[in-house]
Amino acid sequence: MRKLILTAIFASAVLFGAGCDGSSGGNDSAPPAASSTGTADNTKQVCTDAKALGEEYKKKIAEILARAVQKTDEAEMEKVLNEVVPLSKEYKTKFENLGKTANNQQLKDALTVLAKDMDNATADTAGEAAGAAEETLTGICGA
C-alpha cells in the first residue's frame, strides 16, 4: 500500500515540475503590469524565481521518495516519508515570501494559494497539493 502512495506522490511531484520545464513560452504569455502607477512589472522575474523554487522542491521530494522506496521496513519508510512535511513547510515560507514581492495580483494570489497548500501538506498529499497549485502558476507564467 505504501509503495502505491509513493508512486502517487512521485507522479504528483513530477507534475509539479512539468509546468516549469524552462521553455520560453512564458515570455509570450506574461500578463501586463499589475499597476498603473508606473511600477515596473516583475512578473517575469517572479515566475523565474517560482520556477527555480519549484525545481528545488521537486528535486528534494524525489530524493526523499528515492530513499523511502529503498526501505524494506514499513516504519523506516514512514519515517523517511515524514520528512516531506517539514520540507513542504520550508517551501511554503519561500513561496509565501516570493508572493509578497509580486506586483501582479494573479501571480501573488497563485503563490499565496501554493504556500497555503504546502502548509497543509502531509506525507501523502504534498506532491498532489503542489501539483494543483502549479497548474495555476503555469496559467500565469506560461509553460
Side-chain angles (χ1 to χ4, degrees), residues 8-94:
I9 292 172
F10 182 72
S12 296
V14 169
L15 171 66
F16 181 75
C20 294
D21 64 359
S23 67
S24 61
N27 295 343
D28 297 333
S29 61
S35 172
S36 61
T37 62
T39 302
D41 181 23
N42 68 351
T43 300
K44 183 177 178 182
Q45 183 60 50
V46 173
C47 284
T48 298
D49 294 346
K51 179 186 119 179
L53 282 177
E55 288 298 317
E56 284 176 25
Y57 180 73
K58 183 177 94 170
K59 181 180 176 187
K60 289 181 180 184
I61 288 285
E63 289 169 359
I64 290 171
L65 294 175
R67 284 189 293 118
V69 170
Q70 294 174 353
K71 301 296 180 186
T72 56
D73 179 61
E74 185 81 18
E76 286 297 314
M77 184 183 297
E78 187 73 29
K79 183 178 175 182
V80 172
L81 284 175
N82 284 331
E83 294 175 21
V84 168
V85 174
L87 178 69
S88 294
K89 293 205 182 292
E90 173 188 340
Y91 277 84
K92 171 250 184 204
T93 301
K94 291 179 180 187

